[in-house]
Amino acid sequence: MTTLPPEPNRPDRASGHDPTATAPIMSETGGLLADGVGPIEDSLETPIARRRTGRVALIAKRFARNRSALVGLVIFVLLVAFALFGGLFTSWSYTDTDFLAIGFPPSSGHWLGTNDAGNDLYAQVVHGLQRSLIIALSVSLGTTVIAAFVGALAAYFGGWVQRVILGIIYLLLVVPTFLILALISNKTGGDWRWLIVVLTLTGWMMLARIIHSMAQSIRERDYVSAAKYLGEPPLTIVARHILPNLASLLVINFALGVVATVLAETGLSFLGLGVKVPDVTLGALLQSGAGALFASPWLFYFPAAVLTLLTVSMALIADGLRDALDPTSGSGARA
C-alpha cells in the first residue's frame, strides 16, 4: 500500500479561518483592513485621473493643429505681456503731463506722441490695456459663473423653483440696462470697479437661459440620478455632474465674453458712460481720440490698433477652443 504524504495545513473549512495566517497578512495588504482605504481607492482613482489627463492632452492637440487659434493665442500673450511690462520701457506715467510737448506726434521722447493735455500716449495705451483686460476678464468670468449655476440649478430643481428663476431672468432681460449704467456712472464718477459690477449683474441672463435648456437633458442622465440617490447636495451635483458636461459652452462663452465686454466698454465710453479721467481704458482713449481724428490721428489709430488686436485674438482663440472641444468639428475629426 502507498502511504500518502501528510496533508499541508489548510484553512478551517467550517470557519474559513487559516490558523497560520496572522499579522503578516495585514502587512501584505498595506493596511487595507486597518483603515478601509488605500490600494483599492488608488486603483479606482488612477484610471479616472488618466482619462482626464488624456482628454486635456487631446484638446490641447486639437487646439495646436488650428493655426489661426495659435496665432490668436500668441497675439493675446504678447498683449498681456505688453500690459504687464510695457510701462518699464518709458519714464512717463499715464497721468504725467509734458508741458513742452502738448499734442506732439510720435517722437523719440514720446514713442506714440502726446494728447492735447500733454499726456504720453504710450503710457496711456499700456495703462488702458491693463484696465480693459481687468474689466473684460472679470466681467466675462463673473457672468459665466453666475449664469452657469443659476441656469443649472433651475434645470436641476424644476417645478416652482424653475418657474421663479426663469421669471426673474425674463424680467431682468427687459430691464433697460442702459439707464442703469447711466445712473450708476453719474453717481460713481466712472469708477471702473462699479462698471465691472454693473456689467456683470446685467450680462448673465441670456447665457443662463441657454444653460438651463441644455442642462435639462443632462438632469435625466443615470449618473445624476445616482448622485441624488446617494444623497449628494444639489450644489455638489450641479458642480460635479452637470456643469462639467457643459464645459465646452462655458469656456467658449468666456472667451467670447471678453470680446463682448471690451466692445461694450468702448461703446459706453463713446457715450460718456465708461471710465472717466484721470483713469483710462482703450475705449476712453478711442473716445478722446475720435474728436481729434484729423488734427491728431495718432491719438485714435494706436489705441484702435491695440483694441483690434485684442478682439481679433480672443475671437480666434474662441474659435479654436470650439473646434478643440467639439468632436464633430473639423479639427476634432482630424484628431
Side-chain angles (χ1 to χ4, degrees):
M1 176 182 293
T2 304
T3 304
L4 296 176
E7 190 175 19
N9 293 331
R10 295 181 179 178
D12 187 356
R13 292 186 176 89
S15 61
H17 173 67
D18 187 354
T20 63
T22 54
I25 297 299
M26 297 290 292
S27 62
E28 291 171 3
T29 60
L32 176 61
L33 300 180
D35 51 21
V37 294
I40 290 182
E41 183 180 355
D42 295 339
S43 64
L44 292 177
E45 291 182 351
T46 301
I48 297 176
R50 289 176 179 173
R51 285 197 297 270
R52 290 175 179 174
T53 305
R55 175 170 173 77
V56 172
L58 179 60
I59 293 174
K61 180 181 178 182
R62 291 172 177 169
F63 186 86
R65 289 184 176 183
N66 192 324
R67 294 183 178 179
S68 60
L70 288 179
V71 171
L73 181 61
V74 171
I75 294 175
F76 180 74
V77 170
L78 292 177
L79 288 175
V80 172
F82 176 70
L84 294 176
F85 307 109
L88 301 177
F89 301 99
T90 180
S91 58
W92 297 95
S93 172
Y94 74 98
T95 56
D96 292 342
T97 300
D98 187 358
F99 294 102
L100 300 178
I102 296 179
F104 274 32
S107 63
S108 59
H110 300 279
W111 293 352
L112 301 184
T114 60
N115 59 14
D116 294 339
N119 302 123
D120 184 73
L121 183 60
Y122 174 85
Q124 289 203 324
V125 169
V126 172
H127 181 78
L129 180 58
Q130 290 178 2
R131 192 65 76 225
S132 294
L133 284 173
I134 292 174
I135 294 174
L137 293 175
S138 301
V139 172
S140 183
L141 178 62
T143 53
T144 302
V145 171
I146 294 174
F149 277 95
V150 172
L153 286 174
Y156 172 80
F157 284 108
W160 68 270
V161 176
Q162 175 179 269
R163 291 192 295 270
V164 170
I165 293 178
L166 291 181
I168 294 174
I169 291 176
Y170 292 141
L171 177 63
L172 294 176
L173 283 174
V174 299
V175 172
T177 306
F178 177 80
L179 296 179
I180 299 176
L181 289 170
L183 292 174
I184 294 180
S185 177
N186 290 331
K187 291 291 184 180
T188 60
D191 190 348
W192 61 274
R193 299 176 186 86
W194 280 104
L195 183 62
I196 290 176
V197 172
V198 175
L199 290 176
T200 301
L201 295 180
T202 58
W204 58 270
M205 289 82 71
M206 186 61 68
L207 178 61
R209 184 68 182 87
I210 297 173
I211 291 176
H212 165 263
S213 300
M214 299 182 66
Q216 280 185 311
S217 60
I218 300 177
R219 179 187 60 185
E220 307 300 329
R221 304 286 177 85
D222 293 338
Y223 51 84
V224 176
S225 301
K228 292 180 183 178
Y229 179 78
L230 293 174
E232 291 191 17
L235 284 177
T236 303
I237 295 176
V238 169
R240 296 183 59 182
H241 303 291
I242 295 180
L243 292 182
N245 290 278
L246 300 173
S248 59
L249 172 65
L250 298 178
V251 170
I252 295 170
N253 179 83
F254 171 76
L256 293 177
V258 174
V259 179
T261 304
V262 170
L263 296 179
E265 187 273 326
T266 302
L268 292 173
S269 296
F270 267 96
L271 297 175
L273 301 177
V275 176
K276 294 182 174 60
V277 292
D279 204 355
V280 292
T281 61
L282 292 178
L285 291 176
L286 287 175
Q287 190 271 337
S288 60
L293 182 59
F294 296 103
S296 305
W298 61 87
L299 297 178
F300 179 83
Y301 287 121
F302 286 128
V306 175
L307 178 65
T308 302
L309 289 175
L310 178 59
T311 55
V312 169
S313 65
M314 291 306 301
L316 293 176
I317 292 173
D319 185 69
L321 288 173
R322 181 198 62 197
D323 292 341
L325 291 167
D326 185 5
T328 62
S329 63
S331 62
R334 290 191 300 270

